[in-house]
Amino acid sequence: MKNMFEFKTKTIVATAIGAALFTLLMLYVKVPTGVPETDIQTCYGVGSFFAALFGPIAGFLIGVIGHAITDATYGAPWWSWVISSGVALFITGLAYPRLKVDEGRFTLKDCITFNIFQVIGNAVAWIVVAPLLDIIIYKEPANLVFTQGMVAGLCDAISMGVIGSILLMLYSKTRSGKGTLTQE
């Protein structure tokens, strides 16, 4: 069984690449929702892909580093949302030991498992953690931050569900499954 908290060299490299992609996508590839400071972010789909392949620690670091760098380009990190990005991808990464994508398998059951974890991760991060931290740290009005959180959670769940699932399915097709090679 995969050790979900093992942090190998390939995990460190994947985390760096994932954080860089997360940052670039968060800066340049987003769709406005109409709710202030809340967009459909493609970066969460890519982040969830890395979290599912490399585990919760990689997911957390990708979310925190990528979001913090992005916010820093606009002035200063908004820590409640930076932490929430990490939480969403950490929980999504908990699916890691249950998935066999690196062995060439991403079945409907695997897709459902991945999406259950990412929906739970988004709900916890954006409907609980982000609004509460916004209220505690920044003294933001509750009605605004819970609305933003619900919209962000829904948008990120869609991004992860669509983009993350597609990337995992495509990646699994590039991997050789165990017992798939035959001798001639």
Side-chain angles (χ1 to χ4, degrees):
M1 178 159 179
K2 297 179 192 175
N3 180 354
M4 107 171 84
F5 296 106
E6 191 172 47
F7 212 65
K8 299 177 182 178
T9 303
K10 74 176 188 172
T11 308
I12 294 167
V13 172
T15 300
I17 292 168
L21 287 171
F22 190 96
T23 301
L24 291 172
L25 291 171
M26 190 171 218
L27 282 169
Y28 302 113
V29 187
K30 54 191 168 189
V31 180
T33 61
V35 175
E37 305 300 322
T38 310
D39 301 312
I40 297 172
Q41 295 280 1
T42 58
C43 61
Y44 290 100
V46 172
S48 68
F49 167 72
F50 279 94
L53 287 179
F54 297 100
I57 294 174
F60 179 80
L61 291 172
I62 288 166
V64 168
I65 294 166
H67 199 140
I69 291 170
T70 302
D71 281 5
T73 63
Y74 295 113
W78 194 262
W79 291 109
S80 55
W81 282 50
V82 168
I83 292 166
S84 295
S85 289
V87 168
L89 292 174
F90 179 88
I91 295 171
T92 301
L94 293 174
Y96 165 72
R98 293 166 178 78
L99 303 176
K100 305 288 187 251
V101 179
D102 52 341
E103 296 173 11
R105 192 185 94 200
F106 190 66
T107 64
L108 178 60
K109 180 183 175 204
D110 296 323
C111 187
I112 291 168
T113 299
F114 165 74
N115 279 290
I116 288 170
F117 277 88
Q118 67 90 357
V119 166
I120 292 168
N122 280 302
V124 170
W126 302 113
I127 299 173
V128 178
V129 176
L132 291 177
L133 289 177
D134 275 346
I135 293 166
I136 293 166
I137 297 170
Y138 301 109
K139 310 293 187 237
E140 291 287 319
N143 60 342
L144 171 66
V145 295
F146 281 103
T147 300
Q148 285 177 323
M150 285 188 277
V151 172
L154 177 63
C155 291
D156 294 347
I158 291 168
S159 174
M160 287 184 185
V162 174
I163 297 168
S165 295
I166 290 170
L167 289 174
L168 288 166
M169 188 233 356
L170 292 173
Y171 182 77
S172 73
K173 294 192 181 312
T174 69
R175 313 309 316 158
S176 295
K178 288 186 178 180
T180 59
L181 297 176
T182 57
Q183 185 177 14
E184 289 185 20

